[in-house]
Amino acid sequence: MMSPVFRFAPSPNGHLHLGHAYSALLNARMAAEAGGRLLIRIEDTDQTRCTTEFTRDALEDLAWLGLEWEQPVRIQSEHMADYHAMLEKLWALSAIYPCFCSRKEAPRLAAIDPDGQPLYAGKCRSISQEEARKRITCGMSHGWRIDMSAAGDAPASVWGDVVIAKPRLGSSYHIAVVTDDALQGVSHVVRGKDIEAATPIHQLLQRLLGLPSPAYVHHDLILDNAGLKLSKSSGSTSLRSLRAKGVSAAQIRARLGFPRI
Ligand code: GLU
């Protein structure tokens, strides 16, 4: 039997906080208990928000916490061609279509998605592939949306024709995560409940592309004293600021319930 493969996949758009530490440690423990492997993946397709400094700091913070992982670390921004190839495959299946609407002018429906955004009304769905190809060749800016009317997936359809890749392939979270989980042979995706609603989109993409689907676990989130989700801007719980205040890695691990990795 192949050994199980786990991954922790932060987006380097800020410093890692206690919530990331929890997720990373949980992945490490589950991998160890299953006799599996742990990968770290840097999800930095959104180059407007992610920086190489945050990537470097994230890896340094994880090492400081006591984590060990396999090399090399996959850095998504170095593999845009892989995501592009997946998009071409999905387009050939007519499962996705390019959308030329800008954020502001995209016509919307009354229904809202799990992120609270009104669903896209499907304006660009009716553009022929030939016409769309012409526009792309002319350099017209476009993102990519799943055609939910064709995909016919009930759990994923709550998102409407969701964007899986944005113009210039930045912020292409959904397509990048599915591509990489398959390419890296990830068997267990262990991540926060904040991403749970996106999982049906990932499972739909896996079905459309004929990729294996990993097992999914969505863990509770670490909350701040006011009961709110930690964010990368809430500096006080960043691992760096705790470390600067003299908190040790062992103390953080113990506080999060991982006295030993
Ligand atoms: N990169 C995502 C984040 O930092 C996590 C994605 C995942 O684990 O699938 O929120």
Side-chain angles (χ1 to χ4, degrees), residues 23 43 45 53 57 59 83 92 113 125 131-132 143 153 161-162 174-175 178 188 210 212 219 230-231 239 244 246 260:
S23 200
E43 302 208 318
T45 56
E53 288 76 23
D57 291 352
L59 295 173
Y83 314 132
D113 71 19
R125 200 193 290 145
E131 167 64 20
D153 181 276
D161 285 2
V162 68
H174 296 307
I175 194 66
V178 164
H188 292 72
H219 59 73
L230 302 180
S231 80
L239 299 178
R260 265 182 309 275

Side-chain angles (χ1 to χ4, degrees), residues 7 9-11 43 173 177 191 195:
R7 90 302 193 270
S11 299
E43 302 208 318
Y173 167 61
V177 81
R191 59 189 179 190
I195 312 181

Side-chain angles (χ1 to χ4, degrees), residues 7-13 20 23 27 41-44 76 173 177 181 189-192 194-195 202 216 232:
R7 90 302 193 270
F8 174 63
S11 299
N13 52 18
H20 297 104
S23 200
N27 269 285
R41 185 168 74 222
I42 299 295
E43 302 208 318
D44 61 345
Q76 288 190 328
Y173 167 61
V177 81
D181 283 339
V189 172
V190 179
R191 59 189 179 190
D194 52 338
I195 312 181
H202 302 168
Y216 286 93
K232 287 196 173 119

Side-chain angles (χ1 to χ4, degrees), residues 130-152:
E130 194 191 349
E131 167 64 20
R133 183 73 73 187
K134 258 192 226 149
R135 294 190 192 184
I136 293 172
T137 313
C138 292
M140 263 180 87
S141 168
H142 61 285
W144 292 90
R145 292 181 180 275
I146 301 185
D147 183 348
M148 285 292 176
S149 64

Side-chain angles (χ1 to χ4, degrees), residues 47 52 56 67 71 78 130 134 155 176 182 196 198 225 233:
Q47 290 283 304
T52 50
R56 182 199 59 209
L67 261 89
Q71 300 293 340
E78 295 170 3
E130 194 191 349
K134 258 192 226 149
E196 188 163 12
N225 294 335
S233 47

